[in-house]
Amino acid sequence: ASLAAGRGRGGGAGVIGSAPEANLLAISIGFGVGTRSSDDQIADAVKWAVDNGASVINMSLTRNSLEWPESWDEAFLYAFEHDVVVVAAAGNRGSGTTEVGAPATIPGVLVVGGVDRSGKASFDASSQGITIAVSAPSEDLVGAAPGGGYYAWAGTSGATPIVAGIVALVRAAHPGLDAGNVINRMTATAKSPGVAVPSPIYGYGLVDAAAAVSADVP
C-alpha cells in the first residue's frame, strides 16, 4: 500500500508512493486459513474490488502454478469486462518461483518483473516468463509498516504496487483510455533493457512513469 500510494509524513519523512493521491481498497486474503480456499477468496476479492470502484487491482501474490482455478476465469473476465487493469507479480526465485505462476499467466494481466538498483534483472527478487510486460525495482525497497515504522524488503510483491500506482497515474491523466490502451502506454514507454524485447526477464523494459503519463503514444 505504501509503495503504491504512500503520502509521507511531511518534512521529507515517510514513504511517498508512485501515486500518492490514489485511493486504496484493502482486501484481506487468508492463505490456508479458514474453511474457504484462498483461490475462492481471491476470486471473490477481484469481484468485490470491481464492484467497489477499483480501476486498478494490485496482486502481489502467486499461485506457483501455470494453471488457475475455474473461479478465476469468471472473476478476471469480470474485471476485464469492467475496464479494470489487473497488475500481478512475476514471483521470486528466492522464494522458489523459478517461472511465473498464476495470476501472472492469465491473458490480459499486466505482469511485473524485478530489477536491482542498476536496472539489471534481479535473480532472487524476481522470476522469468514470457508473460512479463514491464520491470520495476524489486530490491532495496522500503515500505511503511502498520502502526508506524518501516520495513526493508525485496521482491516483485514490492515492484508490482509501484507499477499499479503508475497505472493509476496514467488513468488519472488519460481518463478516456480503456484498460488495453493504458497497458499499451506502460509497455510502449518502458525503457529499453538493452536486450531484444519483449524479454522473458524484463518484458518491454523498466517502467517509466513520466513517459507513461506524458509521452505521445499512438
Side-chain angles (χ1 to χ4, degrees):
S2 58
L3 289 172
R7 291 155 168 74
R9 294 191 290 108
V15 175
I16 302 293
S18 51
E21 294 186 23
N23 294 317
L24 297 180
L25 296 169
I27 307 173
S28 177
I29 302 295
F31 293 99
V33 177
T35 58
R36 300 184 67 253
S37 72
S38 57
D39 284 343
D40 290 339
Q41 291 182 55
I42 289 168
D44 288 346
V46 170
K47 293 178 182 177
W48 188 91
V50 174
D51 288 342
N52 283 274
S55 61
V56 184
I57 295 176
N58 179 84
M59 306 197 78
S60 291
L61 55 89
T62 180
R63 197 169 182 268
N64 281 322
S65 66
L66 298 177
E67 69 279 354
W68 55 89
E70 187 174 340
S71 62
W72 288 19
D73 284 324
E74 181 183 354
F76 281 75
L77 183 60
Y78 187 72
F80 299 149
E81 288 175 339
H82 286 78
D83 200 39
V84 176
V85 178
V86 179
V87 187
N92 312 315
R93 291 184 189 87
S95 300
T97 304
T98 57
E99 62 180 346
V100 299
T105 53
I106 296 178
V109 171
L110 181 64
V111 181
V112 182
V115 296
D116 61 21
R117 281 182 176 269
S118 69
K120 300 297 183 182
S122 176
F123 185 81
D124 287 329
S126 189
S127 185
Q128 66 181 35
I130 61 172
T131 60
I132 293 177
V134 294
S135 303
S138 66
E139 296 186 15
D140 300 316
L141 302 173
V142 177
Y150 304 92
Y151 290 121
W153 58 309
T156 53
S157 288
T160 302
I162 294 173
V163 172
I166 297 172
V167 170
L169 296 179
V170 173
R171 302 217 82 162
H174 304 277
L177 287 186
D178 61 19
N181 276 295
V182 170
I183 292 174
N184 180 58
R185 289 190 73 88
M186 300 293 289
T187 57
T189 59
K191 296 178 181 177
S192 172
V195 299
V197 296
S199 159
I201 299 176
Y202 295 100
Y204 286 89
L206 182 63
V207 69
D208 184 330
V213 169
S214 61
D216 183 11
V217 178

